[in-house]
Structure formats: C-alpha cells, structure tokens
Amino acid sequence: MNRLLTHIVLLVAFACGALAQSYSPTGFGEATPLNDNWRFTLDDDSAAIAPAFDDSRWQRVRLPHDWGRSLPMSPDAGSCQGYLHGGIGWYRCHFQAPTAECTYIYFEGIYNRATVYINGHRLGYRPSGYAPQLYDLTPHLSSDNVISVRVDHSRENDSRWYTGSGINRPVWLVSATKNHFAPWGTSWKVKSLTASRAVVEISAETALPASGSNVAIDILDANGKVVASGKGQTCKLTVNKPRAWTLDTPYLYKIRARLTVGGRVVDESLVPLGLRTFQFSPDRGFALNGQWMKVKGVCVHDDAGVLGTAVPAAVWRSRLATLKSLGVNAIRMSHNPHAPIVYSLCDSLGLLVMDEASDEWELPKRKWLKGWNQGRPGFEGSYDFFEEWIDRDVADMVRVNRCHPSIFLWSIGNEVDYPNDPYSHPILDGGTEGFTQPMYGGYKPSQPNAERIGIIAQRLAKVVRSLDDSRAVTGALAGVVMSNQTAYPEAVDVVGYNYTESRYAEDHRRYPNRVIYGSENRHDMPAWKAVRDNDFIFGQFLWTGIDYLGESGAWPARGSEAGLVDLAGYVKPQGHYRASLWSEKPVCYIGAYPRSGQGRGGAGGNRGRRGGDFVSSSAPASWNYADGQAVRVVCYTNAPTARLFLNGQPIGGEPVRDAQTEILYWDINYAAGTLRCEAGNGATAEISSFGQPVALSAKTVNEQPLSQGDVAIIDIEVVDADGHLVSLSDANISCFADPPLRLIGLENGDNRDTGDKNSFSRRAKGGRLKAYVERASMPQRQGAAAMPTSATPAVHFTTPLLKGIDVTLQLQ
C-alpha cells in the first residue's frame, strides 16, 4: 500500500499567555490563574509542609489534576468509584507574591478533606470536595512562597459515583486592596420584567467598612454600554427595552460594582446578569418569562471518561452543546455543586440549571466498597462531617452561584429518603405499593425515624432562602410515600419525584398545592408521557444525559451507560430518539437491526419482544448485513411520516408507527448501498454500507481560537475508500503531539475498556476515537521521549491496522 499522508490545516490560533478574565471568580480583586508548575506525590509525608522541603523528585503537573484517573483499575476496588482507588496525596507550588495590599488563594474545589498551608502555616481545612476554599495569604507571604496541600481521599468509596481525587478544579491568586468587596458579595434579583422595562434589585457587600467609601453600580449590555446606573450598596435599577434571557436567546448583561475610597476606585466586581422570571404553579407547572413550558432535563456528573474529573472547559462546552442539540433545555448538577465553568456555559448556551447540594445527609448510604455485589455493602461517605459543615456547604453553593441566570432550582438533597437506607417509618409496613426504590424490608423501629428528614430539610431550606429567595427550593425524593409522612415535602417549594410517575396523579389530588416534577427519570416513553400529557407536571430529568464513571456493574465496567451521550461525547441512538421527542427542530435518524431472534433492548424500547414485533429505540446507524437478510429499519423523527429510499429507489412503502414508542419502522430485506430517509418535516438521514478500512480521518470538534492551557477535541475515524465510517473497526490508534502540544487523553466511549488511560494508544470503538490535545508550556509526560518543537505543531495519528497510514493535523 502506498503511504497516505493527509494534511489538515486547522484554523486554530494559539494566543500567548492565558485568556484575560472578564471578572474575578471570587467577586472581588484581580484574579490570576495559578495552575502551572505544581508538584505532586501520591504519598503522605507531613514534612512537605516545610518551605525548604525538597519536592524536585515529585511529579510535575498542571491543574486541574485528578490523580485517580491515572491509576490502574482493579476488580478489588469499589464499583461505586469505577474500580479506581483513592489515597492520600500532596501538592506543592512555588510562586512569587504579587505586589498588592492583600493576596488570597482561591481553590474552586479539592477532592477531598483538604488541608492547605502557606510557608508552613496552616490556612485551613475543608472536607467537602465540591466546596470553594478561599484563604488570605497576606500575613504569611515572603519573597519566595510555597503552597502545600494535603488531600485525603483514603475513604475512597465515599460516594456512589466516581468523584476523582486531588485539586481537580482551577486555582487562582487574587490581589486586592484592604478595602474590597466581600467574596461573592455582589448579587441581584429581577423584581419585574416586561417588554418595556425590567427592574433589578442589586446588592454589593463590602468586606471591610471604611470611612469615605462609596459604591457605584452600573448595568452594562453585551457591548459594554451602560444602560442603568445607581449608587449605594443596595439599589434598584431600571433597564428600558430590556432583552430577556431565554433558552433560545440567552442574552447576558453585566453588573459592574465599583468601590471608591476618598474618590479613588479601589475595587471592582463584575457579575453576569440575565433578565428572566420564574413562576411555578401546582396546576400549570413552570413558566419562564411568563411562558408555560416543559422542562426537558438530564442529570450529569462531573467526569468526562478518560479525563476523570479534571475536565477542560472546551470539553464541557462541547458536551453541553451536544445535549442542547438533542432538545435538552435543563441540566441537573447531580449530586453536588459543579465546576464554575459549567454554570457559565449554561448561562451562555441557554440551559436551565438545577443546582444540588448533597447526596448524603447525617447518615451514610449503602455502597459496594470492594467489587460489585460481593459480600455486604459498606458505609463510607460524607456523613461524618455533615453536622459541622452542611450549613456552610449549602450556603456557599448559593452564595457562589446565585449570579448565574441559568439556575432556577436549588436542591438541598438527593434520595436521602431511601426506605430503611437508613430511615424507617411505620408506613413501610403497608406493603410496597407506591414504592419504586428498594425497601429493605418493612418498618424497622431500630432504624432512625424518618421524621428526621423533615427537620433537616426545614433547616437547609432556611439556609438557602436566607441568601436567595428569588428561586425555588427543591429536593429529589426517592421514597415519596414515606416522605409524605414527614415535613420534607412542605419544607421545599417544589417537590421532585425520582422514578415515581405512578404517584403523580394521586399526589396531585391529595396535595393540590404541591408543585411536582420528575427529578430523576427513566428514558422510557411512559415516563415522558406522564410529563407531556399532564399540565401539572412541569418536567423531568433523565438519568442520565452523559455516561459517567462509577456506580458500575460487574467488572470490567468503568461506569454507567445510562446516558444519551457516551463517555467520548458521541450521541447514542437513544439520544437521537430523545431528540425526536424533545427537539423543536426537524429531526430524522435511521438505524437498523436484524429481525430474527431476540431484539435489542434499549432505553424506551420494548424489551423482551422478538423479531418483527420488536421496535428498538437504540438501533445503531449501521447498514452492513447479509444480502437478502430480513432487517427492521427504524426512524426517529418528530415528523408524522417519512419515506425510505435504497440507492435512490423507494423501498418499504408507508412506515408503521409503533403505538408504544411512536417510532416509525419498515421491514425490508438488506441490499448493499445507501439507505436514505426523508422525513415529512424536511429532515433527512443516510446510512451506507462500508468496505474494508483504508484510511484514518481526523477533524476538530472545536475550532474557536485556543490559548495556552486550552484543549482541542479531535475526532478520529477509521474509513473505507469512499470515506464511510467502518463502524465494525476496533483498530488500535496511536497519537503523538509536537511540543508545545500535549496529549491529555484518548477516549473511545467503551464502558468496558479498562486499559491504561495514560497510554498514547487506544483502540477505536465503532471505528471512532476521540483525542484531547492541550497546548501546554510543560513537558508532555515524564519519561516521554523528547520531540523537536515544530514551528507549526501538529498531532499525528497512526494505526498498525493500516501500515503506512499517517494522518497529521497541523495547528497554527
């Protein structure tokens, strides 16, 4: 075979230095990223506190960093954590102090139980892995400084899903004057909104009262023009002819607060502002800006497959945009506050957000601590610091995130009311009717009384409302029947039901003032019809939007495959099916599967029915079968009908619409070529037979300019001579990047791939592989062979399957 060299020149410009921040992530001062030049060791050595400690042999890392993702998977580890271990690790960073009256360090999140030191002085401890940590360095700074951080994730199975380990979110140095705004002290509420004017109440707290200080507040439009101004730490401003924040046009203003002392500006706070209103009704559901609508939501976790929980902004942007393209309009941050960038992306993309505080309260839940379904579950968790820290953790969630216009619900907890896990109540002796979760037996007087749930819910809801009364408080209930006997449902404004569609109508009659929605739901059609066909149910959140690590089944399994999108960010067939139910744009997707034998199961499909009776909602977009083989072709579309063509000729006649799934289908015999579907709404889809693999194809997902630290997302495909994806290929593909480019991961989306996540090679799944390449200033990986820096750096992909094939992407 002749050597095939494909050059693809990408329009990706690398800027020098980090992107300038439009506002400080802490709401005061001037923030500078502190993510480079960290050292790390997976060891516990208390001597690392000392400034003079020699850390030169430690691994050099760039933050965010999740050490867990780099560890080998083991069947002896807990399935809840995706068979990955935790441990205790140390981080150190040497830096020069900025010239400022005050210097702070801000960690967006450290998982978990982190203790932070500066030059040997203990700054503080925070057990939650999702809480912000802000410390004043000023009294302890010298000319040369060392930050030391001890991270204790030795209770490695403390969550029901993969959490990651380490400083897995960005870090910032914040410079400020002594007189500055309070951390996250600038906030706003939309008091009224019409087509002609909006009234916004704004508050800007200061950290240190000073004589002669004044606060001036402006509202700026998207072009930076001042559209309203006022004075004082609290004021009401009017925006004439406002542009509302909507799901289709998420227009963002900014609030600029300026603090002056003696006539000189000493601090400035910039926060996003979206002009929108929320309304909830027990009979009509939910309205955004006065428009009643259905919330079509999905739950998401923090990880991104091979990247672990240190997920770059570009990856989150791509994933959220993909979900929105499927008709998703809301994201549930399950089951903890997420990285700040995720909220900002939801603001700009037009996605509603349900923010959530915790999955566990005062007592632990059952978890598989070793393997899956082996022995008896254990009880590691975050319960041991609940009483001391939960009020502050909930308050920080609200205070840090309340300026994001996308957030419309504050959730104080998820599934803390499992029957007998741990709470119990006499109603459990009434049988299993109405329960959709495991009950672990009837009433157990020895277990904690379920009334505790209501008491805690009242306490946490009060914390939320003390900081923000402009949004609804909610909770995701697992044992609704039991919780109805407590104060929990009345403690919140909106009640989430997890997998309990069977209770909707009855509880709507029994509790006519209760606002109900599905806070966690299956993908099946009955669950959606329960929302679609009832005005009093305002929406649902599917479990899940994206496959995630942890909560795994039997080894080998990295995680859960419940998503519309897989670990590599590729849309699954069930994602296209969901688009046919949710999207307001024309949708057309076709897939096929053999009619003989047991049909494939799938989210929303009719499991257990055979052959021609089976209508799958997870049919692959594949067209390679034996000549004349009986095949069922399905079409996921929001059009009333569609036509099918094989090699340009009509085939199959009028489609049949399945009564249970509303899927269109044809039963035909296979012939090679191109199968094309034309839906009645103008949308089309094609699938083609493929030949032998002859080449690799590569393209970037994100083509916006990248700066140092940003990540390019590259799709690699194995293709035939006509450029068709060879969807049966599992070729091993290697990736090499010229400095200053750095490969940070290869992901194929295969939940059962337990291979080395640090490798430069990975096999394709379905003929596809995704590469994540970062522009970095540090060496690619310790021990890696040095490569000459190219004037035009490139990424090279090769595979032994196709000898001599080399696909090169040049980045300039």
Side-chain angles (χ1 to χ4, degrees), residues 12 62 112 141 278 366 376 413 634 657 703:
V12 181
R62 186 180 191 278
N112 64 347
L141 290 176
F278 305 136
R366 291 175 170 87
R376 303 182 65 178
V634 295
R657 180 177 292 276
E703 294 190 1

Side-chain angles (χ1 to χ4, degrees), residues 338-356:
H338 279 44
I341 186 61
V342 184
Y343 302 91
S344 296
L345 289 168
C346 290
D347 291 343
S348 60
L349 289 170
L351 288 164
L352 294 167
V353 169
M354 171 181 168
D355 210 4
E356 193 153 68

Side-chain angles (χ1 to χ4, degrees), residues 160 332 335 356 359 361 365 413-423 428 432-440 453 475-484 488-489 495-503 507 517-520 522:
R160 294 188 295 152
R332 179 187 180 198
H335 300 291
E356 193 153 68
D359 183 57
W361 283 359
K365 296 176 179 178
N414 172 66
E415 295 184 341
V416 296
D417 59 338
Y418 268 121
N420 288 319
D421 188 17
Y423 298 100
L428 298 182
T432 61
E433 182 179 356
F435 288 94
T436 58
Q437 301 286 7
M439 288 181 58
Y440 305 106
I453 303 170
L477 279 58
V480 176
V481 174
M482 185 177 74
S483 287
N484 282 342
Y488 191 178
V495 185
Y497 284 36
N498 283 13
Y499 310 103
T500 320
E501 296 86 0
S502 60
R503 298 286 308 183
D507 280 14
Y517 71 103
S519 42
E520 194 166 310
R522 299 178 304 275

Side-chain angles (χ1 to χ4, degrees), residues 643-653 668 674-678:
R643 297 188 300 166
L644 196 64
F645 300 85
L646 179 59
N647 297 324
Q649 299 301 312
I651 190 171
I668 62 175
T674 296
L675 194 66
R676 177 179 174 85
C677 184
E678 297 181 355

Side-chain angles (χ1 to χ4, degrees), residues 737-793:
D738 295 341
L741 305 180
R742 183 173 73 104
L743 175 68
I744 62 173
L746 293 170
E747 177 60 71
N748 57 16
D750 186 353
N751 184 47
R752 299 177 67 82
D753 187 343
T754 60
D756 181 5
K757 295 172 288 298
N758 298 307
S759 175
F760 290 95
S761 297
R762 202 169 193 86
R763 64 176 178 81
K765 180 192 177 188
R768 298 188 296 188
L769 183 67
K770 188 153 290 184
Y772 303 110
V773 176
E774 178 186 56
R775 183 182 190 269
S777 58
M778 57 181 291
Q780 194 165 21
R781 187 178 287 126
Q782 287 196 347
M787 297 180 65
T789 301
S790 170
T792 306

Side-chain angles (χ1 to χ4, degrees), residues 623 629-633 644 651-652 666-670 675:
W623 191 240
Q629 183 175 359
V631 176
R632 172 155 289 178
V633 177
L644 196 64
I651 190 171
W666 300 263
D667 290 331
I668 62 175
N669 294 327
Y670 173 78
L675 194 66

Side-chain angles (χ1 to χ4, degrees), residues 15-250:
C16 296
L19 285 175
Q21 296 297 308
S22 58
Y23 60 94
S24 170
T26 58
F28 75 94
E30 182 177 344
T32 304
L34 187 64
N35 296 319
D36 290 318
N37 301 316
W38 285 79
R39 298 279 181 170
F40 166 74
T41 184
L42 187 56
D43 191 13
D44 189 14
D45 187 348
S46 60
I49 297 171
F53 178 84
D54 182 8
D55 56 22
S56 60
R57 295 185 180 181
W58 287 13
Q59 180 185 359
R60 189 180 179 189
V61 298
R62 186 180 191 278
L63 304 182
H65 175 252
D66 170 12
W67 83 63
R69 62 160 295 275
S70 298
L71 300 179
M73 296 178 66
S74 168
D76 292 329
S79 59
C80 60
Q81 285 288 305
Y83 299 101
L84 288 164
H85 287 294
I88 298 176
W90 279 84
Y91 293 85
R92 282 168 59 91
C93 181
H94 301 253
F95 69 98
Q96 299 292 316
T99 304
E101 291 181 352
C102 299
T103 301
Y104 297 80
I105 190 167
Y106 169 47
F107 297 88
E108 292 185 6
I110 308 173
Y111 206 91
N112 64 347
R113 302 175 191 265
T115 309
V116 182
Y117 304 86
I118 176 69
N119 298 331
H121 299 276
R122 185 179 185 273
L123 292 171
Y125 167 76
R126 193 72 182 261
S128 171
Y130 307 111
Q133 299 188 45
L134 178 68
Y135 299 111
D136 186 357
L137 305 180
T138 312
H140 313 294
L141 290 176
S142 61
S143 56
D144 295 305
N145 303 278
V146 183
I147 287 284
S148 304
V149 183
R150 181 181 187 268
V151 185
D152 182 358
H153 194 203
S154 56
R155 296 176 182 86
E156 61 188 19
N157 296 304
D158 56 357
S159 177
R160 294 188 295 152
W161 61 90
Y162 179 74
T163 60
S165 301
I167 308 179
N168 56 358
R169 295 179 183 176
V171 178
W172 304 83
L173 279 181
V174 181
S175 304
T177 60
K178 291 181 180 179
N179 302 111
H180 57 75
F181 287 108
W184 305 287
T186 302
S187 62
W188 52 266
K189 300 174 186 177
V190 178
K191 305 301 289 186
S192 64
L193 175 63
T194 65
S196 59
R197 66 182 218 143
V199 177
V200 185
E201 182 178 275
I202 302 170
S203 176
E205 305 170 33
T206 56
L208 180 67
S211 59
S213 64
N214 294 285
V215 174
I217 297 175
D218 299 318
I219 295 178
L220 314 177
D221 67 14
N223 296 317
K225 179 183 177 182
V226 176
V227 295
S229 297
K231 294 187 180 297
Q233 289 185 239
T234 302
C235 61
K236 285 185 179 180
L237 301 184
T238 298
V239 178
N240 295 316
K241 297 181 179 180
R243 296 187 61 176
W245 186 90
T246 71
L247 302 182
D248 294 328
T249 56

